[in-house]
Amino acid sequence: MNLSFIFKEGLSGFKRAKFPFIVSVVTLSICLTLIGVSIMIGDNIFGYFREVQSDFDVQMFYNPQASNSEQHAALEYCNTYPGVMTTVYISRNEAVALFQEEFGENIFDILKDNPFPASVRIGFDRYHQNVGYISGFKASLEQLPGIETVTFHKALFLKLTAILRVLTMVGGAFVLLLFIASVLLTSNTIKLIILARFDWIETMRLIGASDFTIRSPFLLEGAFQGILGAILTLGAVHGVEAGIMKLTNLDLNSRLMQFPEVIILLFTTGIILGVLGSYRAVRRFIYMVV
Amino acid sequence: MITFKDVSLRYDRGAGVKNINFSVQRGEFIYLIGPSGAGKSTLLRMLFMDIFPNTGSVQVDHFDSNTIKRRQIPKLRQKVGMIFQDYKLLDDRDVFSNVALPLQVIGVSTREIERRVTKTLEEVGLTHRRLYYPSELSGGEQQRVSIARSIAKDPLVLLADEPTGNLDMGVALEILNLLWRVNAKGTAVIMATHNIELIKNRPSRTFRLSHGEFKGELLP
Ligand SMILES: Nc1ncnc2c1ncn2[C@@H]1O[C@H](COP(=O)(O)OP(=O)(O)OP(=O)(O)O)[C@@H](O)[C@H]1O
Ligand SMILES: [Mg+2]
């Protein structure tokens, strides 16, 4: 194979068309930023609704006479139940505080004794958030000793599930559209590169190069552009974060680029965009050259 | 080795060639003459399978215009060299790399490329220019590079479309002599030209074309 040749031609391609190359990298970087920002916003909205929903997962109330070991065993049961993600213990005193927070009144102004039992709020991970599964869990909890009642607001839960599903679909469709738009946009700028290398393509066909050999350097160049676009985006995000911190004197506690997943995703998306954009441009162009 | 059988080709806007029949054997040297628009380039492009006849068939070695697949065309072009009036060299690389290109594309080893390019440059008399860029060469020298590139793979046939069109008589004759030397090593040559004066220096089998029709052949 002539891989080293393809590699060399791909990496030296930008010398022949510097301006279109830079335009492509900047375009890719803008697309990456847009995609990234949309995913971030979408994820936050999703997270918010999910948080609201987890309040409506399951809450179990202890019997006031429940012994320590009974309480402990019930909590342990929840913690080891498959699909349970969070368990939050709410003591009787905490329940009083929560009541005050929610209704603005101190319960002891109304009643002499604390009427609230201790309870545990239980949240499920996204793979187990279906009504049937949670209802089964609720029924099994009610059998345990020391448990007074178990609540599960099925109707609300279902409504929120529906909202989340719509959100996921709309968000996914939006990001997909953005992705397709990015491919079209980059493939248009990459066309400029191919135009600038018309003579190269013509010569390659003249000497009997296969379509694969002619195409591959452009795809490689696309990948290369994707990597540069990702680096540019990384730099821009760093700059913006540093600017925010300086201006507001705020310490951003979660900097986007601290997460290796984010960086890997950024580079992967950049490379995929660059390669797809090149592929589209090359495919439509190469046949036109004679 | 090369056969045109009842070949006709019409371009979208008309013209083209009609009813062409001839064949060429291994190692022959053929001139293709005729006024502008006669169809010389059209015939060469069909041999290169750049365009295809509407009727009839063009055969080159074991390739047939009616059955060849798109992915086989590169294989054909590795056996058929083609040079033009405007050389078509890549100006971003030196003479050596231009000549090496067809070998790099098929994955010949670096050492073998070095050996073959050196030998080919010697044959066309450009050893002293191997590190020059095309823009630093005269027209005659650029055409030599183009010839070197097309013969580096030892093609069966070299197609030359107006190879001396941009050169004055002295240089044109040098190029013609070079093509004859290439031919002497066993490569068939088919050269399209207007320049009757030039080819009188090296008479050979000559096909006459006019208005897309074959007007007979002249023997030396
Ligand atoms: N791509 C094309 N599209 C339409 N018509 C074409 C095309 N190429 C050539 N022709 C027409 O076909 C005829 C033959 O053209 P061709 O280029 O083969 O002539 P030629 O003998 O090479 O001429 P010249 O000596 O000027 O190079 C001409 O009438 C020309 O106008
Ligand atoms: Mg012509």
Side-chain angles (χ1 to χ4, degrees):
Chain A
M1 261 323 285
N2 49 1
L3 286 181
S4 73
F5 173 75
I6 288 172
F7 222 80
K8 230 170 61 194
E9 292 292 327
L11 294 189
S12 65
F14 77 96
K15 280 194 235 154
R16 237 161 289 144
K18 289 198 186 77
F19 182 69
F21 185 86
I22 292 168
V23 172
S24 295
V25 170
V26 173
T27 310
L28 268 166
S29 175
I30 292 171
C31 292
L32 282 175
T33 310
L34 276 177
I35 293 175
V37 168
S38 330
I39 291 178
M40 225 168 61
I41 292 174
D43 194 56
N44 272 307
I45 296 176
F46 188 88
Y48 171 76
F49 274 94
R50 177 61 204 114
E51 211 167 278
V52 172
Q53 187 189 31
S54 62
D55 281 351
F56 294 99
D57 283 1
V58 174
Q59 190 164 11
M60 69 170 177
F61 295 89
Y62 288 118
N63 188 317
Q65 277 84 50
S67 70
N68 259 348
S69 66
E70 278 171 343
Q71 289 197 18
H72 209 263
L75 188 60
E76 192 57 26
Y77 177 80
C78 296
N79 275 329
T80 53
Y81 200 85
V84 169
M85 195 168 58
T86 54
T87 50
V88 181
Y89 179 80
I90 298 165
S91 67
R92 300 187 63 197
N93 290 336
E94 280 164 343
V96 172
L98 279 176
F99 180 84
Q100 175 137 28
E101 216 173 85
E102 218 157 296
F103 299 101
E105 281 192 69
N106 192 331
I107 192 73
F108 294 116
D109 295 343
I110 307 165
L111 296 170
K112 256 210 234 66
D113 294 320
N114 180 356
F116 299 118
S119 66
V120 176
R121 277 186 178 170
I122 301 143
F124 282 81
D125 66 32
R126 69 168 72 190
Y127 308 104
H128 294 85
Q129 274 172 16
N130 65 72
V131 171
Y133 189 80
I134 295 179
S135 299
F137 171 72
K138 176 180 181 255
S140 74
L141 269 189
E142 281 162 345
Q143 305 305 312
L144 295 181
I147 303 300
E148 178 86 31
T149 49
V150 181
T151 60
F152 173 41
H153 304 279
K154 215 186 264 181
L156 241 151
F157 181 88
L158 278 175
K159 191 170 262 174
L160 280 164
T161 304
I163 290 176
L164 280 173
R165 188 174 302 137
V166 171
L167 265 180
T168 313
M169 271 174 358
V170 170
F174 184 73
V175 169
L176 188 72
L177 268 181
L178 212 56
F179 189 84
I180 292 171
S182 303
V183 171
L184 297 186
L185 207 62
T186 39
S187 94
N188 273 324
T189 55
I190 288 170
K191 262 185 210 158
L192 296 178
I193 294 182
I194 294 174
L195 269 177
R197 296 182 66 184
F198 234 58
D199 62 329
W200 183 86
I201 295 177
E202 193 186 16
T203 304
M204 291 294 282
R205 299 190 67 186
L206 186 66
I207 61 168
S210 63
D211 286 350
F212 176 82
T213 308
I214 297 175
R215 266 183 207 147
S216 308
F218 289 105
L219 301 190
L220 206 68
E221 199 175 333
F224 187 42
Q225 287 166 355
I227 292 172
L228 289 182
I231 291 175
L232 199 64
T233 309
L234 213 66
V237 170
H238 259 286
V240 169
E241 282 178 342
I244 290 176
M245 293 212 301
K246 196 160 198 174
L247 281 178
T248 61
N249 263 331
L250 254 168
D251 197 16
L252 293 177
N253 56 357
S254 93
R255 310 267 310 265
L256 201 51
M257 298 303 168
Q258 276 169 351
F259 303 104
E261 314 80 289
V262 173
I263 295 182
I264 290 170
L265 196 71
L266 186 67
F267 277 86
T268 318
T269 313
I271 290 171
I272 292 175
L273 273 182
V275 170
L276 280 184
S278 296
Y279 180 78
R280 183 171 173 277
V282 174
R283 202 191 45 161
R284 303 186 90 207
F285 250 79
I286 238 164
Y287 292 94
M288 289 170 55
V289 190
V290 177
Chain B
M1 179 190 60
I2 288 175
T3 310
F4 275 71
K5 215 187 277 169
D6 300 325
V7 170
S8 295
L9 179 147
R10 250 183 73 86
Y11 287 109
D12 293 340
R13 293 175 196 280
V17 293
K18 291 186 279 289
N19 264 319
I20 306 289
N21 281 289
F22 66 78
S23 57
V24 176
Q25 308 308 314
R26 268 170 207 273
E28 276 198 279
F29 199 118
I30 308 284
Y31 294 118
L32 219 50
I33 59 169
S36 187
K40 306 182 291 294
S41 301
T42 304
L43 292 190
L44 294 183
R45 286 178 67 196
M46 282 195 276
L47 280 173
F48 206 55
M49 308 248 176
D50 196 10
I51 49 178
F52 292 85
N54 299 116
T55 58
S57 70
V58 178
Q59 281 155 21
V60 181
D61 199 28
H62 64 280
F63 298 101
D64 185 309
S65 60
N66 288 316
T67 54
I68 193 168
K69 305 235 163 51
R70 189 185 152 82
R71 74 189 140 71
Q72 292 175 316
I73 292 178
K75 291 266 176 296
L76 164 85
R77 292 186 183 172
Q78 287 164 19
K79 292 189 172 179
V80 180
M82 181 134 183
I83 63 171
F84 297 89
Q85 184 169 352
D86 59 354
Y87 324 127
K88 302 201 192 295
L89 301 175
L90 293 179
D91 48 18
D92 67 342
R93 60 198 80 196
D94 61 19
V95 167
F96 182 92
S97 305
N98 265 286
V99 177
L101 204 58
L103 301 173
Q104 289 173 327
V105 155
I106 54 170
V108 175
S109 73
T110 317
R111 188 197 274 182
E112 179 66 9
I113 287 177
E114 172 73 30
R115 194 184 69 77
R116 282 214 243 167
V117 173
T118 305
K119 180 172 144 271
T120 310
L121 285 178
E122 222 171 271
E123 281 169 26
V124 302
L126 279 182
T127 307
H128 59 302
R129 293 280 189 259
R130 60 183 276 150
L131 297 180
Y132 281 53
Y133 281 75
S135 59
E136 300 169 324
L137 301 176
S138 71
E141 287 171 328
Q142 290 187 51
Q143 192 59 287
R144 283 165 189 271
V145 177
S146 171
I147 292 171
R149 183 180 66 191
S150 66
I151 62 173
K153 272 182 312 191
D154 258 325
L156 281 173
V157 55
L158 176 55
L159 310 175
D161 194 353
E162 223 67 79
T164 60
N166 287 337
L167 307 171
D168 59 37
M169 202 55 168
V171 181
L173 189 56
E174 284 175 24
I175 294 296
L176 183 63
N177 287 332
L178 175 56
L179 291 178
W180 275 93
R181 283 206 299 281
V182 169
N183 177 246
K185 298 203 156 177
T187 300
V189 176
I190 302 180
M191 170 172 161
T193 184
H194 287 291
N195 198 335
I196 311 285
E197 289 309 307
L198 175 69
I199 62 175
K200 279 182 183 159
N201 291 290
R202 290 289 205 152
S204 190
R205 200 177 165 204
T206 302
F207 296 160
R208 278 196 321 126
L209 286 174
S210 180
H211 296 294
E213 287 177 63
F214 196 76
K215 298 286 182 192
E217 66 175 274
L218 312 167
L219 293 170

